[in-house]
């Protein structure tokens, strides 16, 4: 029920995307675009303008936008709160009665249970992911849902108990912890234990640099 509206919207976007790709093929053949995917740096009004006016230089608009997009794609953090001096603010980690050993990462518990597995850090749902691995990523959306089936556990960088990743983890019975700086603290291949009851991720085995 929760994902039904999103699935219908995704279908509409799929039809629209197919038509936009047809237009892109036409503009590539005419030499008005440089690479596949360039058209997605235009809005629909600009696409219409390019179709109606052959003198419209789409690449003049696209090039600076691609630079910004490529820089954003290289970022490994997504600040939620920045102060007036451009400092990234983070919440204090939860306080536990007992001390945790070195190598324990403290996050927020968003789905109960405990499981171990090899970490796989991925940035897109179409990247390689093996059954039994720990899904580690910044944030998830509906397209990521199939990955939860085979995941032993989930580690997220962003999101509370009502975020997509937390909801899916609970629906599939997967332990999940959020508020972990995935790219800074974890590496693909690490063996970890994810405790979704306490919000602790224990690094059991590192990886060679």
């Amino acid at each position: 029920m929760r994902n039904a509206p999103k699935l219908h919207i995704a279908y509409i976007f799929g039809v629209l995307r197919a038509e936009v790709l047809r237009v892109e093929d036409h503009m590539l053949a005419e030499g008005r675009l440089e690479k596949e995917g360039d058209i997605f740096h235009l809005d629909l009004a600009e696409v219409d303008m390019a179709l109606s006016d052959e003198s419209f230089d789409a690449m003049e608009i696209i090039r600076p936008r691609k630079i910004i997009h490529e820089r954003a794609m290289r970022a490994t953090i997504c600040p939620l709160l920045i102060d007036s001096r451009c400092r990234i603010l983070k919440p204090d980690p939860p306080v536990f009665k007992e001390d945790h050993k070195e190598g324990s990462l403290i996050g927020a518990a968003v789905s109960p249970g405990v499981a171990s597995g090899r970490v796989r850090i991925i940035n897109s749902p179409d990247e390689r992911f093996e059954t039994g691995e720990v899904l580690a990523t910044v944030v998830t959306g509906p397209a990521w849902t199939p990955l939860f089936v085979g995941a032993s556990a989930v580690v997220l960088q962003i999101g509370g108990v009502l975020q997509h990743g937390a909801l899916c983890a609970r629906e599939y019975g997967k332990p999940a912890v959020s508020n972990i700086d995935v790219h800074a603290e974890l590496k693909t291949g690490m063996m970890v234990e994810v405790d979704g009851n306490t919000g602790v991720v224990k690094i059991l085995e590192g990886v060679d640099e």
Side-chain angles (χ1 to χ4, degrees):
M1 290 293 292
R2 175 181 176 273
N3 282 332
K6 295 180 181 179
L7 291 173
H8 288 298
I9 292 172
Y11 174 77
I12 294 170
F13 281 143
V15 173
L16 181 61
R17 178 185 174 86
E19 182 62 20
V20 169
L21 288 173
R22 187 188 65 79
V23 173
E24 181 183 61
D25 288 341
H26 180 68
M27 293 181 68
L28 283 168
E30 291 182 338
R32 299 176 65 193
L33 294 178
E34 294 175 351
K35 294 181 179 180
E36 291 182 358
D38 280 350
I39 200 167
F40 294 107
H41 294 282
L42 300 173
D43 60 34
L44 290 179
E46 290 164 343
V47 173
D48 287 339
M49 191 176 299
L51 289 173
S52 61
D53 182 2
E54 293 186 359
S55 65
F56 180 78
D57 189 351
M59 289 308 304
E60 184 178 0
I61 297 174
I62 291 171
R63 289 190 189 99
R65 292 178 181 175
K66 286 180 71 174
I67 292 173
I68 295 172
H69 177 260
E70 289 165 1
R71 184 171 67 240
M73 291 300 293
R74 291 193 296 270
T76 57
I77 61 173
C78 182
L80 297 182
L81 186 62
I82 303 175
D83 70 8
S84 59
R85 286 173 283 181
C86 293
R87 295 181 302 180
I88 297 174
L89 305 180
K90 297 181 179 180
D92 293 330
V95 178
F96 295 93
K97 293 181 179 179
E98 69 276 10
D99 292 330
H100 290 282
K101 297 180 180 178
E102 183 179 353
S104 293
L105 308 176
I106 311 300
V110 293
S111 179
V114 180
S116 301
R118 296 279 177 187
V119 170
R120 173 77 66 176
I121 298 176
I122 60 176
N123 300 304
S124 172
D126 57 5
E127 293 180 23
R128 177 188 173 191
F129 185 75
E130 301 288 342
T131 299
E133 292 180 326
V134 173
L135 172 61
T137 188
V138 175
V139 68
T140 67
W144 294 70
T145 303
L147 300 182
F148 285 76
V149 177
S152 60
V154 181
V155 179
L156 302 167
Q157 185 164 323
I158 297 173
V161 294
L162 295 181
Q163 197 268 339
H164 175 273
L167 288 168
C168 275
R170 293 196 297 274
E171 289 172 359
Y172 284 97
K174 311 292 182 175
V177 172
S178 185
N179 199 30
I180 298 293
D181 193 342
V182 170
H183 288 280
E185 304 288 355
L186 299 175
K187 294 183 183 297
T188 294
M190 280 181 169
M191 175 65 73
V192 300
E193 178 187 86
V194 179
D195 189 335
N197 302 314
T198 63
V200 176
V201 177
K202 294 180 182 177
I203 299 175
L204 306 177
E205 179 185 320
V207 293
D208 296 332
E209 296 293 339

